[in-house]
């Protein structure tokens, strides 16, 4: 087995570190589990080697729409792309669509990444609010008719990518917004159970704060589609 930092053999060893913030956790069933900073990723072993150690795995060329993207960005990137075909209905070729999407992504990458970070807290708060059906229903109603089908199932990168994409399309058609969510949170009485539990109180405070700051970002990005 190889220790990744040394690359002296053909294989992978759990616990190996490389770069400044990467560590391999496990290798099993052809898959690799590793962390980058505080984020956990799972990837096919061959793809992992190609992405992280191209000199060891052999040369490769990437499609133009993949240039500049690291492998651990791909779940978010592809999930976001999967929601946007309706934004450009005149594009029928998959390659042409990905080139168009890539141009949009690169042109607005800073704002997209900021929106994704803020909407993670929005998604977390909305998912937590499901424990209180009446309050959850009010939040969904405030977001618009597409709210329930747009709610992510979790907080994984792919879930958040799809959530951002659905918000962009929904905002473009004026049928989905997070702009009115903060007011719903502010109207929750301080005696409500969800505000008496510190964990949920923090989540709902983040929901209020980040929905307010993410709303204009989504409007701006939606207008740029």
């Amino acid at each position: 087995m190889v220790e990744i930092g040394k690359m002296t053999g053909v294989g992978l060893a759990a616990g190996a570190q490389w770069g400044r913030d990467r560590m391999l956790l496990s290798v099993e069933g052809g898959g690799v589990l590793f962390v980058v900073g505080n984020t956990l990723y799972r990837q096919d072993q061959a793809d992992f080697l190609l992405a992280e150690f191209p000199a060891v795995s052999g040369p490769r060329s990437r499609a133009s729409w993949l240039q500049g993207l690291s492998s651990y960005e791909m779940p978010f990137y592809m999930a976001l792309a999967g929601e946007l075909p309706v934004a450009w209905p005149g594009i029928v070729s998959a390659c042409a669509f990905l080139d168009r999407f890539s141009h949009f992504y690169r042109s607005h990458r800073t704002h997209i990444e900021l929106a994704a970070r803020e909407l993670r807290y929005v998604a977390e708060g909305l998912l937590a609010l499901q424990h209180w059906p009446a309050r959850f229903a009010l939040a969904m109603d405030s977001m618009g008719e597409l709210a329930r089908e747009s709610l992510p199932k979790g907080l994984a990168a792919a879930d958040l990518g799809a959530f951002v994409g659905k918000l962009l399309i929904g905002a473009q058609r004026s049928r989905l917004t997070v702009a009115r969510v903060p007011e719903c949170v502010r109207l929750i009485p301080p005696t409500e159970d969800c505000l008496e539990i510190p964990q949920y109180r923090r989540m709902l405070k983040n929901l209020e704060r980040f929905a307010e700051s993410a709303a204009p970002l989504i409007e701006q990005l939606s207008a740029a589609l």
Side-chain angles (χ1 to χ4, degrees):
M1 298 295 286
V2 68
E3 187 169 338
I4 292 179
K6 298 177 181 176
M7 282 298 169
T8 55
V10 210
L12 301 169
Q17 297 182 353
W18 70 105
R20 291 188 173 183
D21 59 353
R22 289 161 160 75
M23 175 181 288
L24 184 67
L25 298 181
S26 67
V27 183
E28 57 182 58
V32 176
L33 195 67
F34 65 104
V35 291
V36 179
N38 294 322
T39 307
L40 179 67
Y41 297 96
R42 187 185 303 276
Q43 193 173 18
D44 176 80
Q45 183 173 326
D47 291 341
F48 168 79
L49 287 170
L50 283 169
E52 299 292 338
F53 307 102
V56 174
S57 307
R60 63 173 182 158
S61 60
R62 305 188 90 194
S64 60
W65 54 274
L66 288 174
Q67 296 299 326
L69 287 174
S70 60
S71 58
Y72 52 87
E73 291 176 278
M74 290 302 292
F76 174 86
Y77 180 92
M78 295 307 294
L80 173 59
E83 298 297 330
L84 299 188
V86 294
W88 304 298
I91 300 178
V92 294
S93 160
C95 290
F97 166 75
L98 287 169
D99 282 338
R100 177 67 183 85
F101 171 72
S102 178
H103 175 74
F104 167 74
Y105 187 89
R106 289 192 177 86
S107 298
H108 304 281
R109 185 168 185 166
T110 299
H111 285 155
I112 291 171
E113 290 177 346
L114 177 58
R117 287 195 294 271
E118 297 192 344
L119 287 168
R120 179 183 184 86
Y121 293 104
V122 173
E124 180 184 55
L126 290 173
L127 292 172
L129 206 54
Q130 291 181 105
H131 294 286
W132 292 271
R135 292 294 170 189
F136 178 68
L138 289 175
M140 292 293 98
D141 290 344
S142 78
M143 289 175 65
E145 59 186 290
L146 300 178
R148 290 184 184 273
E149 65 190 70
S150 300
L151 190 69
K153 293 183 173 63
L155 300 176
D159 295 321
L160 293 174
F163 186 44
V164 173
K166 288 173 181 175
L167 283 170
L168 290 177
I169 295 301
Q172 193 179 53
R173 301 177 177 185
S174 301
R175 296 171 64 192
L176 183 64
T177 180
V178 294
R180 295 185 292 269
V181 170
E183 186 59 29
C184 284
V185 178
R186 293 186 195 109
L187 291 174
I188 299 176
T191 54
E192 192 89 4
D193 288 350
C194 54
L195 292 180
E196 293 180 351
I197 304 170
Q199 177 186 2
Y200 289 113
R201 185 167 63 244
R202 174 187 58 78
M203 288 181 181
L204 294 179
K205 188 64 179 175
N206 284 338
L207 172 59
E208 176 188 346
R209 173 188 171 188
F210 289 105
E212 194 165 42
S213 58
L217 274 175
I218 288 297
E219 292 291 339
Q220 180 181 346
L221 288 168
S222 181
L225 281 174

